[in-house]
Amino acid sequence: EDQVTQSPEALRLQEGESSSLNCSYTVSGLRGLFWYRQDPGKGPEFLFTLYSAGEEKEKERLKATLTKKESFLHITAPKPEDSATYLCAVQALLSTGFQKLVFGTGTRLLVSP
Amino acid sequence: DAGVIQSPRHEVTEMGQEVTLRCKPISGHDYLFWYRQTMMRGLELLIYFNNNVPIDDSGMPEDRFSAKMPNASFSTLKIQPSEPRDSAVYFCASSSTVLETQYFGPGTRLLVL
């Protein structure tokens, strides 16, 4: 069964304290891995797509990396405005021939000033 | 572009009532997705459409749920009759292809009493 596991469930950082969020996946026929940010009361906002092991993408203080079994979202010198839930999702090819995004349950990040 | 538009943003109803959620995808996007988000199960795909045709509805929980897409700019998700366990946030998303990034709407927060 296709599965996406994110850790930790919650993370509290001080402003400027760098850290990493983990997304491990078990999926057949990986077509892509997506990172989204979700603020309270809002829909998920797209951050990155990674397609192959070794690929990296960066945006401001965020960098996403991908291996064959997991992805990391590195946050460098975070600021309070980086506080949000970060969702990981994999595009899976189902046995039916359909494709769908399978989401993890997210990591809630709180950055204190 | 205004992004994905959903209405209503909040809905409170009583058990047994019919609920209709509405979505307008991003213009030019051929794929439309309906998701449900709960604390326990995270984001789950309910159904998706390609060019207004339902492709995969295996995530629709019961016959009480139905979805339609009468044209490229409008879709509905209907729950009839509603039950308290249907309380969740329902998101609509759209993308240009099934592999491309999905862009989410702001969601409809549903509470069934």
Side-chain angles (χ1 to χ4, degrees):
Chain A
E1 182 183 343
D2 299 323
Q3 226 171 3
V4 178
T5 303
Q6 292 188 247
S7 62
E9 288 187 11
L11 180 62
R12 187 164 190 159
L13 300 174
Q14 290 295 121
E15 185 172 1
E17 180 185 0
S18 301
S19 188
S20 297
L21 312 182
N22 177 262
C23 171
S24 61
Y25 59 90
T26 306
V27 61
S28 55
L30 178 72
R31 291 293 187 268
L33 185 141
F34 297 78
W35 282 98
Y36 285 84
R37 168 190 172 131
Q38 187 174 23
D39 292 296
K42 296 190 176 181
E45 176 187 345
F46 170 71
L47 292 173
F48 303 108
T49 310
L50 301 167
Y51 291 105
S52 56
E55 189 175 358
E56 298 184 353
K57 294 255 179 95
E58 285 190 67
K59 180 180 179 180
E60 297 181 358
R61 295 176 293 282
L62 301 177
K63 183 169 82 172
T65 62
L66 179 65
T67 72
K68 289 186 177 180
K69 294 293 184 184
E70 57 191 0
S71 176
F72 292 93
L73 184 65
H74 306 278
I75 304 177
T76 301
K79 297 182 177 180
E81 52 261 43
D82 295 323
S83 299
T85 295
Y86 291 85
L87 298 169
C88 170
V90 295
Q91 182 78 260
L93 176 62
L94 307 178
S95 58
T96 56
F98 301 140
Q99 303 188 57
K100 73 174 188 179
L101 274 185
V102 178
F103 279 86
T105 52
T107 293
R108 296 188 310 277
L109 175 65
L110 178 62
V111 182
S112 303
Chain B
D1 200 315
V4 176
I5 298 173
Q6 291 187 249
S7 66
R9 293 295 312 277
H10 303 273
E11 178 82 28
V12 180
T13 189
E14 292 189 346
M15 183 174 64
Q17 296 298 305
E18 177 179 296
V19 175
T20 299
L21 312 180
R22 297 172 177 79
C23 174
K24 176 180 168 55
I26 293 171
S27 177
H29 281 187
D30 292 333
Y31 284 81
L32 183 141
F33 306 81
W34 281 102
Y35 289 87
R36 179 171 67 177
Q37 187 176 41
T38 61
M39 288 293 292
M40 291 296 295
R41 300 172 68 90
L43 263 171
E44 300 175 288
L45 178 66
L46 299 176
I47 184 171
Y48 76 91
F49 295 83
N50 175 215
N51 291 325
N52 315 335
V53 176
I55 301 301
D56 183 3
D57 65 355
S58 59
M60 296 285 262
E62 302 172 30
D63 291 344
R64 298 184 296 107
F65 287 69
S66 62
K68 294 182 180 180
M69 193 165 184
N71 57 63
S73 59
F74 183 67
S75 177
T76 60
L77 178 68
K78 187 174 294 186
I79 308 173
Q80 166 64 17
S82 58
E83 296 183 2
R85 59 194 167 119
D86 301 330
S87 298
V89 182
Y90 291 82
F91 289 103
C92 176
S94 70
S95 65
S96 53
T97 75
V98 72
L99 291 178
E100 293 293 325
T101 300
Q102 294 180 22
Y103 294 90
F104 284 76
T108 295
R109 188 172 298 272
L110 173 66
L111 178 60
V112 183
L113 302 174

